[in-house]
Amino acid sequence: MKIENIDTWILRVPFLRETADFDDAHHELIGVTVHSEGLTGMGYSFITDHAGGTSVKALLDDLLVPYLCGQNASQPERIWNAMEDLTHRMGTGINRFAMASIDIALWDLKAKSNGHSLAAEIGQITDDVPVYGSGKAGGRLSVDELVRLSQEYVDSGFDAVKIRVGRDLDEDPARIAAVRSALGEHVKIMIDANERLSYSSALSLGRKLAEHDIFWFEEPVVYTDRRSHVELARQLPMPIVGGEHHCSSAEFLDYVTERAFTMVQPNVCMVGGVTEMVRIMHLAESHGVGFAPHLMTDLNIHLAATTNSTVYVEYFPFLEPYTTNRLEIANGRAMVPTAAGHGIEFTDETFSKYRIA
């Protein structure tokens, strides 16, 4: 399957109001469409909150796309390693976003060529995966809004929701208490500090919120501070989880072996695509650590269906207004799509309204 040509593009779409930390927050989706033998594969990565997608597109246009044209599209792992060789002196940053766009597109194309869903192409072992409600718990919401949106998830069949903390430590205990009181004791509540806290403030907050039976404490401190994660895991009763800003399987290794994370939360775009996500899943599974991938729900459903280490998939519906596909969710579980490829398709209106490059 010779790669004939590759289109690159950027979509700039607004944040959900329920999530945004500031006005005009947005996602930039940096995408590619790979053409081969009458088939196309689509992949994308993202930069969130602010601009910057043109830097990723420039790397694609100037280096990766010229190299990839003419290569065998049916070998995404081989191409991933070649892209790593081409860009490894850049460290890990925009190169991983560019690699992710290509890698996801190649896996989509490969699965389509074999008539498989992405999950089946990787090695599917289950037909549905557990999901939790996320993305509707921003720190700027009132307590009433936070309770109402959390309740909406539960009314829709979810048995777990995630609440953001760390914006105002004095208010957080009352906000979590209100959600727990409204949802009852049988609904799982996760909290996410988005790396806002120091070790001491994370320890203090975790102890205050422990009475509400917190299922996990996500990103309590900056992701590079492994020692604080290890100490928090020892000191607090709830699991410590994270990893959405880690850029490779190697960056997860010490966090897994030292039990800094009870569950890992890699982002498929941040780590460079499906190929590296599979390596991280294997790392988690071989060390008895849970897998709970970050954000990209429509892709993560496929990945989570291929490993025994899956605990939850984050249901964060920020793409739903812009795509034709919808996940089927019932009783807190999402059915794994069966159509060929990953099944994600942006609408023509989305390209018309939100394409900036």
Side-chain angles (χ1 to χ4, degrees):
M1 293 182 60
K2 183 178 179 180
I3 297 176
E4 296 160 359
N5 65 288
I6 301 175
D7 304 319
T8 65
W9 37 269
I10 300 175
L11 302 176
R12 193 177 197 222
V13 300
F15 249 77
L16 294 171
R17 185 194 69 82
E18 298 89 345
T19 303
D21 284 332
F22 57 90
D23 294 335
D24 196 36
H26 59 268
H27 304 278
E28 286 193 354
L29 306 173
I30 308 99
V32 302
T33 307
V34 179
H35 301 265
S36 176
E37 299 182 6
L39 294 174
T40 61
M42 188 273 286
Y44 62 94
S45 59
F46 78 101
I47 293 178
T48 192
D49 290 338
H50 305 285
T54 53
S55 62
V56 181
K57 188 176 185 298
L59 179 58
L60 287 164
D61 293 340
D62 295 345
L63 177 62
L64 296 183
V65 167
Y67 168 79
L68 289 166
C69 286
Q71 300 292 326
N72 186 347
S74 67
Q75 298 179 320
E77 296 97 338
R78 181 187 290 267
I79 288 176
W80 194 96
N81 288 332
M83 292 191 293
E84 169 68 2
D85 286 342
L86 285 170
T87 65
H88 78 281
R89 289 191 180 274
M90 300 174 66
T92 51
I94 65 170
N95 56 330
R96 291 292 167 139
F97 290 109
M99 290 167 63
S101 297
I102 294 290
D103 187 71
I104 292 165
L106 292 177
W107 277 99
D108 183 39
L109 183 62
K110 182 180 179 182
K112 287 176 178 175
S113 71
N114 292 324
H116 297 158
S117 68
L118 176 59
E121 187 67 34
I122 298 170
Q124 185 173 351
I125 60 174
T126 184
D127 294 329
D128 56 55
V129 297
V131 290
Y132 68 91
S134 182
K136 297 182 180 181
R140 299 197 299 175
L141 297 177
S142 68
V143 174
D144 288 343
E145 288 179 299
L146 187 63
V147 169
R148 175 177 59 80
L149 292 168
S150 299
Q151 187 66 58
E152 285 180 4
Y153 269 133
V154 175
D155 292 343
S156 299
F158 289 80
D159 66 359
V161 298
K162 188 164 75 179
I163 308 299
R164 292 168 72 178
V165 298
R167 188 180 179 92
D168 189 325
L169 296 178
D170 292 331
E171 293 184 1
D172 282 332
R175 291 167 68 84
I176 298 301
V179 174
R180 172 57 76 200
S181 176
L183 302 188
E185 62 182 19
H186 300 298
V187 174
K188 298 180 182 70
I189 295 177
M190 300 87 157
I191 58 172
D192 182 359
N194 297 113
E195 303 184 17
R196 287 190 171 98
L197 306 178
S198 66
Y199 168 76
S200 59
S201 60
L203 182 62
S204 174
L205 182 63
R207 285 172 171 166
K208 290 177 182 177
L209 298 182
E211 66 179 284
H212 300 299
D213 191 22
I214 301 301
F215 188 71
W216 75 45
F217 193 167
E218 180 175 337
E219 289 195 318
V221 297
V222 64
Y223 80 99
T224 52
D225 187 356
R226 185 176 72 253
R227 178 50 51 193
S228 287
H229 283 88
V230 171
E231 289 303 316
L232 289 169
R234 290 174 178 169
Q235 296 289 334
L236 292 175
M238 71 282 287
I240 303 300
V241 305
E244 70 182 69
H245 292 119
H246 287 30
C247 292
S248 68
S249 56
E251 291 183 16
F252 278 95
L253 182 59
D254 288 342
Y255 284 77
V256 168
T257 57
E258 295 183 25
R259 297 295 174 179
F261 293 153
T262 303
M263 289 161 261
V264 295
Q265 297 178 301
N267 184 292
V268 64
C269 298
M270 189 75 71
V271 302
V274 172
T275 296
E276 188 73 348
M277 283 287 276
V278 171
R279 295 175 181 140
I280 295 166
M281 290 192 300
H282 290 164
L283 175 67
E285 190 165 345
S286 64
H287 287 82
V289 170
F291 179 68
H294 171 253
L295 191 60
M296 315 300 287
T297 310
D298 306 82
L299 284 168
N300 288 334
I301 293 295
H302 291 275
L303 290 155
T306 69
T307 174
N308 285 316
S309 59
T310 295
V311 178
Y312 270 110
V313 171
E314 182 173 24
Y315 177 73
F316 196 124
F318 80 100
L319 284 184
E320 282 192 355
Y322 315 113
T323 60
T324 60
N325 59 295
R326 292 293 178 273
L327 294 173
E328 180 184 345
I329 298 176
N331 300 317
R333 301 185 73 85
M335 298 300 299
V336 180
T338 57
H342 54 50
I344 304 166
E345 182 179 357
F346 291 100
T347 66
D348 292 339
E349 181 183 3
T350 295
F351 272 91
S352 175
K353 185 175 181 179
Y354 295 109
R355 184 170 182 172
I356 63 169

